[in-house]
Amino acid sequence: MVEEASRKRYVVGITGASGALYGIQLIRSLVEAEQNVHLVVTEAGWRVLKEELGWDTTKRQQAIEVAFPGLIAEGRLKLHPNADIGASIASGSFRVEGMIIMPCSMGTLASIAHGISDDLMTRAADVMLKEGRKLIIVPRETPLHAIHLENMLTLAKLGVKIIPAMPAFYYGPQTISDMVNFLVGKVLDQLPLDHDLYRRWGDEQHGD
């Protein structure tokens, strides 16, 4: 068990883009890696959690407690209302290792790219940029038009890692969970945190 003082903090954002399961699995993986998570979900994100995963989002804190038993009480996971622009993660003086928005809607991505921080999600992302901390965005949209692409390029030029929700097949995925784990693993690689969520290219060939 990792001591509390040695755990690092990560912010996870879930927006209204399809693919809420990506964000949920990312939280589980971060906790399993002995990290602490600060979670923020947009209004549209709560709707997607309800529609895609069948969550009862009437009482949001309770919904998180059901999905992640014991973690809030242990201080391993904290839910921040998206309207709370005075939350800890809205300040650069609150130290975190980085932020991952997974999945990220084109609306949220556009706001971040243009410095519009009118809610906690976009403010926390803006803090990552101004403090030079790691920001990873997992966009989930198709097809993409020129404005989407230009916004991604704007963020990429600022050092933001763009990891599109694109599945791979070289490792032989058999289930939806396999495909979700692949993308979560790609995010963890960038943090970087060790994991065994997917088989890496060459591992089987070399017997590693």
Side-chain angles (χ1 to χ4, degrees):
M1 181 68 70
V2 174
E3 294 295 329
E4 179 63 30
S6 65
R7 290 190 181 121
K8 296 178 180 178
R9 300 177 183 136
Y10 289 93
V11 180
V12 173
I14 296 176
T15 73
S18 180
L21 184 57
Y22 288 126
I24 298 305
Q25 182 56 42
L26 173 63
I27 295 169
R28 292 195 180 107
S29 296
L30 287 171
V31 172
E32 288 173 2
E34 299 292 347
Q35 311 301 308
N36 288 347
V37 175
H38 288 256
L39 172 64
V40 58
V41 182
T42 65
E43 286 297 315
W46 285 110
R47 178 170 180 172
V48 175
L49 285 167
K50 178 180 180 180
E51 293 182 353
E52 292 187 351
L53 302 184
W55 281 25
D56 179 359
T57 57
T58 306
K59 297 180 179 179
R60 294 173 176 181
Q61 182 84 5
Q62 183 174 318
I64 296 299
E65 290 172 348
V66 169
F68 304 100
L71 292 184
I72 292 179
E74 295 171 9
R76 304 291 312 285
L77 173 63
K78 182 174 179 57
L79 174 67
H80 297 278
N82 193 37
D84 185 9
I85 59 172
S88 58
I89 59 174
S91 174
S93 64
F94 185 75
R95 299 295 298 273
V96 302
E97 291 299 307
M99 179 177 185
I100 309 100
I101 305 178
M102 185 178 193
C104 184
S105 68
M106 291 299 105
T108 296
L109 191 150
S111 292
I112 299 168
H114 294 278
I116 301 171
S117 51
D118 55 2
D119 58 19
L120 184 58
M121 180 77 73
T122 51
R123 170 57 186 171
D126 195 60
V127 167
M128 298 302 112
L129 293 175
K130 79 182 186 71
E131 298 293 332
R133 296 172 185 163
K134 190 160 291 186
L135 177 59
I136 297 173
I137 287 179
V138 181
R140 215 305 307 162
E141 185 62 273
T142 190
L144 298 168
H145 58 61
I147 295 175
H148 296 156
L149 296 170
E150 287 173 357
N151 287 337
M152 289 184 209
L153 179 59
T154 295
L155 291 176
K157 287 179 177 178
L158 293 172
V160 177
K161 288 292 184 181
I162 309 292
I163 304 180
M166 296 177 178
F169 297 94
Y170 65 82
Y171 65 103
Q174 300 298 309
T175 65
I176 290 176
S177 292
D178 289 341
M179 299 174 79
V180 169
N181 284 340
F182 172 82
L183 194 64
V184 172
K186 284 293 189 179
V187 169
L188 296 182
D189 285 348
Q190 292 296 319
L191 293 179
L193 291 171
D194 292 335
H195 68 87
D196 58 359
L197 291 174
Y198 66 90
R199 179 178 60 80
R200 299 179 185 279
W201 181 255
D203 283 356
E204 185 175 280
Q205 292 91 325
H206 300 292
D208 295 333

